[in-house]
Amino acid sequence: MNERAYLDAASAEPLHPAAREMLLSAVDSGWADPVRLHHEGRTARLLLDNARAVLAQGLGVRPDELYLTTSGTAAIHAGLSAVLTARRRVGGAVVHSAVEHSAVLHTAGEAGVEIGVDLHGRVDLDAFAAAVRKPGVAVAVLQSANHEVGTRQPIEAAAAACGPVPLFVDAAASIGHEVVSDGWSVLTASAHKWGGPAGVGLLAVRKGTRIAPAWPMDEREDGLSPGFPDVPNLLAAAAALQARLAEAAELDRQHRGWIAEIRQRVGADVPDVEVVGDPEDRLPHVLTFSCLYVDGEALVTALDAEGFSVSSGSACTSSTLRPSHVLAAMGVLTHGNVRVSLARTTTYGEIDRFCRVLPGIVQRIRAEVGM
Amino acid sequence: MNLELDCRGLLCPLPVIKLAKALPTVAVGDTITVLADDPAAATDIPAWCRMRSQELVSAAENAYAVRRVS
């Protein structure tokens, strides 16, 4: 058995040591109901306020602009629905890029106005701006960077084009890794993408943005995240973000170098491969490529057997047997697809071994189908 | 000349593999029509044409016409 090399950080990072330490102490101190007035409740409230303050600072917002939800998906569902409800007199259309996370596509539904992307996966800014200026638009949605191919989106320019229409930014792929441009009205993020625990999402709403929760409200998070809060997990998420941001500059430098090396070696050593996404204007830690004539599931399985954990946007690796809507919108090859994403624990030795092992695996899978 | 490749029921990458194998069997200027109902073919056959510098003549209703240009 080979040593494992976890190269799927964009799906989930292993828990940051700072988060683990915080979680272990917080389960003993932060378990009570923070809305109660007794000693244990006040302690939990103090810890909750502390977590919110640290998370808000990490995003660059005020604590009263930040709602804590139960996942990044829940933050998108709650935030987008609340903006839609508040702006229903203006209109109901949701302008969004074709490569948004499925949580955005599911919330927009029939009201969605989809804007195409180029071969790198970057939104057509002129079409986006034109669609936002039409009457009846409730909200515009644009991710900070694409979660599958790493391409950054033009947030600043999109915000400038939005005028009075609120810009909703899904920043799950970026937060903890790099700074997101300003100009947005609502921003969402997810803790397990920066080494925090699963089950923590962030929903930041800039002051002046109108929101109205779209379902039965309780007293928690202004009705935007109903139910008893998980204070220990929120604290762990805050500790992870703080620690991760302190390491971000160093990891950014390291990861960009290694990703550039993988891009170069995969392109040079594997014939008929298409590396996708913008080569420069991108996330530091993600690289995606597609190998012609290769079954994506066979490739992921073979890499797993060699000790490498990667994800794939190929149809055969999805439960629906449909290819990734991101790759399809870009018009790039969907089969033989691999996404490599580096964690803070990734080493150069892992990257180097990946680049050495991959060409033989691709060659073997192709040989099985006579290519 | 047009060669028809029935790839209905086959999942990607098989339709693209069959197309690639059939290409050398037709003359430059001839076309191959791939019948494929796998949703991935809608992206992958045009992408193959782009990567291989072959011409996608048409793509509609699970039928993709490709002209060999080199």
Side-chain angles (χ1 to χ4, degrees):
Chain A
M1 179 74 188
N2 281 303
E3 266 182 50
R4 299 296 308 175
Y6 183 79
L7 301 177
D8 193 17
S11 293
E13 281 237 6
L15 203 61
H16 195 290
R20 192 171 187 282
E21 194 182 324
M22 178 64 80
L23 186 60
L24 289 176
S25 77
V27 287
D28 292 327
S29 52
W31 50 269
D33 189 342
V35 302
R36 297 293 170 241
L37 300 177
H38 45 59
H39 171 77
E40 292 80 0
R42 288 199 311 274
T43 303
R45 176 58 195 254
L46 205 66
L47 295 173
L48 179 60
D49 289 348
N50 186 10
R52 191 188 311 277
V54 170
L55 290 165
Q57 191 182 26
L59 291 190
V61 300
R62 287 166 27 180
D64 62 353
E65 291 177 316
L66 181 62
Y67 302 98
L68 306 172
T69 74
T70 52
S71 70
T73 295
I76 290 171
H77 289 172
L80 201 45
S81 307
V83 174
L84 278 168
T85 305
R87 284 180 56 84
R88 64 187 181 277
R89 283 190 190 84
V90 179
V94 181
V95 174
H96 62 81
S97 85
V99 296
E100 295 302 312
H101 189 273
S102 56
V104 171
L105 307 183
H106 292 156
T107 312
E110 296 287 300
V113 178
E114 191 168 285
I115 308 300
V117 298
D118 64 14
L119 204 56
H120 286 326
R122 182 163 294 113
V123 72
D124 179 339
L125 190 59
D126 291 340
F128 190 87
V132 172
R133 284 193 206 105
K134 286 189 178 157
V137 175
V139 58
V141 186
L142 190 60
Q143 61 201 189
S144 54
N146 187 265
H147 49 297
E148 288 186 35
V149 300
T151 299
R152 287 189 196 131
Q153 300 293 351
I155 295 301
E156 235 177 297
C162 275
V165 174
L167 178 65
F168 188 110
V169 171
D170 166 17
S174 306
I175 296 297
H177 299 274
E178 60 179 18
V179 175
V180 175
S181 299
D182 221 339
W184 46 266
S185 298
V186 182
L187 177 140
T188 58
S190 175
H192 68 90
K193 309 270 188 185
W194 67 68
V200 176
L202 305 188
L203 170 60
V205 182
R206 286 288 190 200
K207 282 285 169 244
T209 308
R210 287 168 53 214
I211 50 169
W215 51 73
M217 288 173 65
D218 66 7
E219 73 278 32
R220 318 269 183 180
E221 302 297 317
D222 290 353
L224 284 161
S225 186
F228 194 100
D230 188 342
V231 175
N233 255 351
L234 291 165
L235 273 167
L241 185 59
Q242 199 169 41
R244 184 68 202 225
L245 288 177
E247 303 163 347
E250 174 62 14
L251 285 173
D252 183 276
R253 189 190 59 76
Q254 196 170 62
H255 285 174
R256 282 189 192 281
W258 292 349
I259 289 290
E261 176 164 341
I262 305 172
R263 171 185 291 274
Q264 190 273 326
R265 287 173 68 177
V266 167
D269 299 346
V270 182
D272 293 321
V273 67
E274 185 172 39
V275 181
V276 301
D278 192 297
E280 298 294 334
D281 192 5
R282 59 180 300 102
L283 291 172
H285 62 302
V286 177
L287 187 75
T288 306
F289 55 88
S290 296
C291 307
L292 205 49
Y293 314 129
V294 171
D295 177 283
E297 186 178 11
L299 187 51
V300 170
T301 307
L303 283 167
D304 188 51
E306 289 285 344
F308 297 103
S309 312
V310 299
S311 71
S312 170
S314 294
C316 49
T317 65
S318 83
S319 56
T320 58
L321 291 181
R322 298 193 77 84
S324 141
H325 71 276
V326 172
L327 300 176
M330 292 165 66
V332 298
L333 205 63
T334 71
H335 69 247
N337 180 259
V338 165
R339 179 186 67 183
V340 170
S341 49
L342 311 184
R344 58 180 289 285
T345 49
T346 302
T347 64
Y348 179 75
E350 294 171 348
I351 299 305
D352 180 53
R353 194 168 76 82
F354 178 82
C355 290
R356 278 188 283 118
V357 162
L358 181 73
I361 291 176
V362 171
Q363 189 180 34
R364 196 176 76 221
I365 297 172
R366 282 177 177 159
E368 283 165 11
V369 292
M371 294 304 292
Chain B
M1 273 286 291
N2 178 60
L3 175 72
E4 190 173 280
L5 278 182
D6 190 353
C7 298
R8 285 172 295 188
L10 298 181
L11 298 178
C12 267
L14 288 173
V16 178
I17 289 171
K18 285 191 177 291
L19 170 60
K21 285 180 174 171
L23 190 79
T25 70
V26 303
V28 172
D30 285 355
T31 55
I32 301 172
T33 300
V34 185
L35 305 178
D37 48 14
D38 177 25
T43 305
D44 285 6
I45 290 176
W48 179 87
C49 290
R50 178 174 51 75
M51 291 171 73
R52 280 270 161 262
S53 304
Q54 304 300 324
E55 182 190 348
L56 181 71
V57 182
S58 64
E61 291 177 34
N62 296 340
Y64 307 86
V66 177
R67 177 175 289 118
R68 182 175 176 191
V69 295
S70 59

